[in-house]
Amino acid sequence: MSLVIVGSLAFDTIQTPLERREKIVGGSGTYCSLAASFFTPPKIVGVVGEDFPKDVLALFKRKKIDIRGLEIRRGKTFHWEGHYGHDPNQRETIRTELNVFGDFRPNLPGPYRAADIIFLANIDPGLHDDILSQMGRPALVAMDTIKLWITTKPEAVWRALGKVDILFVNDEEIRLLTGETNLMKAAKKILASGPGLLVAKKGEHGACVFGRDFVFGVLGRVSENVVDPTGAGDSFAGGFLGYLDKMGKVTRPNLRRAAVYGSVLASFTIEDFGIERLKRLRPGEIEERFLEFRRLVSF
Amino acid sequence: MSLVIVGSLAFDTIQTPLERREKIVGGSGTYCSLAASFFTPPKIVGVVGEDFPKDVLALFKRKKIDIRGLEIRRGKTFHWEGHYGHDPNQRETIRTELNVFGDFRPNLPGPYRAADIIFLANIDPGLHDDILSQMGRPALVAMDTIKLWITTKPEAVWRALGKVDILFVNDEEIRLLTGETNLMKAAKKILASGPGLLVAKKGEHGACVFGRDFVFGVLGRVSENVVDPTGAGDSFAGGFLGYLDKMGKVTRPNLRRAAVYGSVLASFTIEDFGIERLKRLRPGEIEERFLEFRRLVSF
């Protein structure tokens, strides 16, 4: 099968209680593609400025990530700055400089258009229709969204939901989107609007996959080593969809394992700043941690 | 084996966003004993006023709860009032009238003193020494504590920890007690102070059992039906310790299952006000939900 990921590539300036990093490489498309690359060779769609590091493009190629859909434009790469408090679940956006990402109109190269899975990773929901119209008949359309779109374009988000199979969101976003505090009631509202699957990410508490008649939960791994939570959600989606693409079939056992692999990838990402941990991650470590997730909850 | 539970018996006035209940029966000892009674006949130690309902005492007897350690004194039963917000994890104490519980000095009847497990359920940590001096050599000493004791008597709490095997607390209390945001680091601090096991309750997110060289997690059951969260933590401890007492041995597989049974009992308690759900709970329902907890996380 094959997996197309449409998302942002960015410079992130990150401040944690202990350390600050200026303009390190990040972005939803970056994290998601790197995480997925451990399972399947993903195809990325995005835009960067001329300032985007050549060695990261080389890294993508080494990881077999197809970058024919990556536009390099005159100007600067998207820049985001965020600060984390002592509780790593609390993050504050300090600034957002869209730069070349501001008028990004994704254009899918020919060989991308027959992909089986497409992931619309946290881009303006108003772009979805145009992107999907460029695709053949993907078996699976997945999307992510954030507070920004939910608060500024709620109708566009709900409309977009009508055309996707899987929605990835965190629990705060689910509550914001539905106005429901109770996660199960909120999940039912979302499932009623279109997607057959809702993946609710809960940070350190884990994640839940809601289907119309089943729920599966992954418990968050308890770790001392949380350096930078940026990219955890995108790594989750990358691991999840990469694994599904590799398996080629959306069965319940595959969905359960996909959610665990998503959690595994996210658990590595947060162990270092930016993409550092993913860069040095070995497949054996993924399998080892998959078993650790199983031991954690087995009884 | 046998299990002694020292705790409060109370009237609770509870306000949820939807409903208010005046002076219904509650208290840590009440919830804990009822939950434990599904696994073993517990012995309760506590004090109530003459206003405590006779039918609840009759219920205890029907459930084979030993109430020889329950003092009935002239005066009024402890009364607590709490309000819950739309997020059931947020609760505010409106008033606390200690009444006969104010100068409670637990006195264990002779047959209680040889018990194998004793649970000091959320009582003044300054009372622990006196209670433990009345016991023979319990195989297991467990305690619970709350924000009130952690903020007003932190030294007494830490001293008490030096003499217990299992501490039950919620994640907020763990952070308050240790000053650590990271749960794993906080757990290590607590384990270094005495208890061999820390049970961290995380409300809707589940629970984690920390030992010196292992971690086990139970994922919270996702439910639409949360009526009144009061007593969830005490029901957890009751189910946990009741199951351990029934099994007679603290092995790792037993600890894992104990944590699941604790979660099962808590998940029932919150389905109705006060002890209503526990009163009509059938053993078959417990087994059914135990399997549901397993299905929820199996992959």
Side-chain angles (χ1 to χ4, degrees), chain B residues 117-181:
Chain B
I117 305 182
I118 180 161
F119 181 43
L120 306 161
N122 180 18
I123 49 168
D124 185 334
L127 296 175
H128 285 199
D129 278 346
D130 179 43
I131 301 170
L132 292 178
S133 73
Q134 299 175 39
M135 291 288 292
R137 282 180 149 232
L140 209 63
V141 179
M143 72 176 271
D144 197 340
T145 194
I146 52 166
K147 202 171 161 178
L148 172 71
W149 308 124
I150 297 171
T151 49
T152 61
K153 302 187 171 187
E155 296 84 8
V157 173
W158 282 107
R159 219 172 25 245
L161 285 181
K163 296 174 183 175
V164 306
D165 303 294
I166 308 185
L167 172 68
F168 291 91
V169 261
N170 68 34
D171 44 355
E172 188 199 351
E173 290 153 358
I174 292 173
R175 285 170 178 137
L176 195 64
L177 186 60
T178 59
E180 269 294 346
T181 319

Side-chain angles (χ1 to χ4, degrees), chain A residues 86-88 171 175 181-185 188 202 204-205 207-208 210 215-220 222-226 256-257 260 290 293-299, chain B residues 86-88 171 175 181-185 188 202 204-205 207-208 210 215-220 222-226 256-257 260 290 293-299:
Chain A
H86 281 280
D87 176 351
D171 43 357
R175 286 171 177 137
T181 319
N182 182 285
L183 201 58
M184 184 63 105
K185 286 183 190 165
K188 286 190 175 171
K202 303 193 295 172
E204 62 168 329
H205 299 299
C208 279
F210 294 91
V215 189
F216 169 63
V218 188
L219 194 79
V222 195
S223 166
E224 263 183 279
N225 185 23
V226 180
R256 286 170 180 260
R257 273 180 236 123
V260 178
F290 180 87
F293 269 84
R294 179 171 281 159
R295 274 195 306 276
L296 177 65
V297 299
S298 293
F299 61 89
Chain B
H86 281 279
D87 176 351
D171 44 355
R175 285 170 178 137
T181 319
N182 182 286
L183 201 57
M184 184 61 106
K185 286 183 191 165
K188 286 191 176 172
K202 303 192 296 171
E204 63 167 329
H205 299 299
C208 279
F210 294 91
V215 189
F216 169 64
V218 188
L219 194 79
V222 195
S223 166
E224 262 183 278
N225 186 24
V226 180
R256 287 170 180 260
R257 275 180 235 122
V260 177
F290 180 88
F293 269 85
R294 180 172 281 159
R295 275 197 304 276
L296 177 65
V297 299
S298 294
F299 61 88

Side-chain angles (χ1 to χ4, degrees), chain B residues 93-105:
Chain B
T93 290
I94 302 298
R95 55 183 163 151
T96 306
E97 296 161 359
L98 290 175
N99 300 328
V100 296
F101 194 56
D103 53 357
F104 175 47
R105 290 286 168 279

Side-chain angles (χ1 to χ4, degrees), chain B residues 4 8 11 13 24 48 61-62 115 118 150 198 217 225-226 285 297:
Chain B
V4 166
S8 64
F11 285 123
T13 293
I24 56 175
V48 295
K61 285 185 185 166
R62 275 203 312 281
I118 180 161
I150 297 171
L198 166 68
N225 186 24
V226 180
E285 292 177 300
V297 299

